[in-house]
Amino acid sequence: MNIFVYFESNPEFFLFSVFLLSLLVGSFLNVVIYRIPIMLKREWKADCIGFLSDELDQKEFNPEQYAHHINEETFNLSVPRSRCPSCGHKITALENIPVLSWLFLKAKCSQCQSSISIRYPIIELSTALLSVLVAYYFGVQWYTLALLVLTWTLIALSMIDFDTQLLPDNITLPILWLGILLSVLGISSISLMTSVIGAIAGYLILWFVSQIFKLVTKKDGMGGGDLKLLALLGAWLGWQALPLILFLSAFVGAIVGISLIIFLGRDKNIPIPFGPYLASAGFISLLWGEQIKQFYFNLAGI
């Protein structure tokens, strides 16, 4: 029996399968969120060392000074194995079961008993729940699988930006192009023209905003990653979704930013990552964008 037919005739099993798969993906996202920024920084270090060695003569550049950077152990998404940051204990397969292992271990390392952050099961469970929401809303189709990939990407980008204020190109750009490719193949719900215009408009809108802000304040108010993230959302959701995404992200971002300054005394000069707000607004627009716009039009009597 075709798997799509089976899922359509057993929607509960379909949602349960998405839940289990997304729990595993959430566990992998924890790895991505932690390791991608470290991998990027190591790559930048290597590029800087290579540049210095090319530009400076031997008297000015001492390779031994940078040997510990050059000879660092292999570090990518699969190597080395995950380990406890306190004692170095390598995490076993039984200790790496999403959510359940954290509960079974009582949020402590099995060797040194140091605390394991609740953030890990929260990301795993949030990934699963948001994925089930997407699967329930869009049903059994190839486009749903693509939207699950988009959802997982937005979660990873949000957390990386929250931690490091980075939105890595090696995540953002491939997913942006995937959104356009889906339109080319006819899998997406929007046309190729709508997708391309959405990507272009998404980038240019925030580019103009950032340039105006820099002209007025003489400061950089937005990173290039934010521009590419909105371009990504435009490629997937179309240019028509951009006004709502911008409104929701700016509204929530302003509330959170003002709250941090007033209630927690955060320095207003410390930048606040905008990526999580863009990603959240994009996800809301994906599921309920039409309903929100219709509610507004009814409220305005249009």
Side-chain angles (χ1 to χ4, degrees):
M1 179 184 292
N2 186 294
I3 188 66
F4 278 77
V5 174
Y6 182 78
F7 279 150
E8 286 175 347
S9 59
N10 297 272
E12 295 83 6
F13 182 71
F14 169 60
L15 296 178
F16 180 69
S17 300
V18 170
F19 182 83
L20 288 183
L21 172 63
S22 300
L23 276 178
L24 296 174
V25 172
S27 180
F28 177 68
L29 290 184
N30 278 320
V31 176
V32 170
I33 292 164
Y34 173 72
R35 296 196 178 200
I36 287 290
I38 296 176
M39 291 163 56
L40 287 175
K41 289 175 183 177
R42 289 191 173 196
E43 182 180 332
W44 296 336
K45 282 182 183 178
D47 290 342
C48 290
I49 293 170
F51 173 78
L52 289 173
S53 64
D54 290 339
E55 293 295 317
L56 303 179
D57 59 34
Q58 196 64 32
K59 293 181 180 179
E60 296 174 296
F61 179 78
N62 181 11
E64 294 181 1
Q65 182 180 355
Y66 302 93
H68 64 288
H69 293 301
I70 299 172
N71 299 320
E72 288 179 319
E73 67 173 342
T74 301
F75 190 90
N76 52 45
L77 293 179
S78 58
V79 177
R81 275 174 50 185
S82 297
R83 61 186 70 173
C84 172
S86 298
C87 68
H89 166 65
K90 293 182 179 179
I91 308 301
T92 66
L94 289 177
E95 294 171 336
N96 205 27
I97 301 172
V99 180
L100 294 180
S101 291
W102 186 85
L103 294 172
F104 180 76
L105 293 170
K106 298 179 181 179
K108 294 182 179 179
C109 172
S110 61
Q111 297 298 310
C112 68
Q113 300 301 303
S114 60
S115 297
I116 302 174
S117 174
I118 194 174
R119 163 173 157 158
Y120 297 112
I122 286 177
I123 289 177
E124 292 164 354
L125 195 57
S126 298
T127 301
L129 293 176
L130 293 177
S131 298
V132 167
L133 193 59
V134 170
Y136 174 79
Y137 193 90
F138 290 94
V140 181
Q141 55 174 322
W142 283 112
Y143 188 47
T144 300
L145 178 59
L147 292 178
L148 289 177
V149 172
L150 174 63
T151 301
W152 301 334
T153 300
L154 294 179
I155 293 171
L157 288 173
S158 295
M159 295 309 301
I160 291 174
D161 196 26
F162 179 80
D163 288 341
T164 64
Q165 296 188 15
L166 295 173
L167 288 169
D169 285 352
N170 57 1
I171 298 178
T172 306
L173 295 183
I175 302 302
L176 188 160
W177 288 110
L178 177 60
I180 295 176
L181 178 62
L182 291 172
S183 297
V184 173
L185 298 176
I187 296 175
S188 174
S189 61
I190 62 175
S191 68
L192 175 60
M193 183 66 71
T194 301
S195 177
V196 172
I197 294 176
I200 295 172
Y203 187 92
L204 290 180
I205 288 172
L206 285 189
W207 182 83
F208 279 117
V209 170
S210 66
Q211 293 302 308
I212 293 173
F213 181 88
K214 187 174 182 179
L215 186 64
V216 173
T217 66
K218 309 302 181 184
K219 297 179 181 179
D220 290 321
M222 191 169 296
D226 296 319
L227 281 61
K228 296 166 192 172
L229 177 54
L230 188 59
L232 180 157
L233 294 171
W236 280 77
L237 306 181
W239 60 267
Q240 298 92 333
L242 294 177
L244 179 60
I245 293 173
L246 287 169
F247 171 77
L248 289 175
S249 58
F251 179 72
V252 175
I255 291 177
V256 172
I258 293 172
S259 299
L260 289 174
I261 294 171
I262 294 176
F263 298 110
L264 298 181
R266 182 188 177 102
D267 187 344
K268 64 180 181 181
N269 293 317
I270 298 177
I272 297 175
F274 193 49
Y277 306 123
L278 282 174
S280 300
F283 185 80
I284 292 171
S285 298
L286 170 66
L287 294 183
W288 302 293
E290 291 303 319
Q291 292 91 322
I292 293 174
K293 284 188 285 186
Q294 193 58 51
F295 173 78
Y296 171 78
F297 290 149
N298 292 337
L299 199 65
I302 299 177

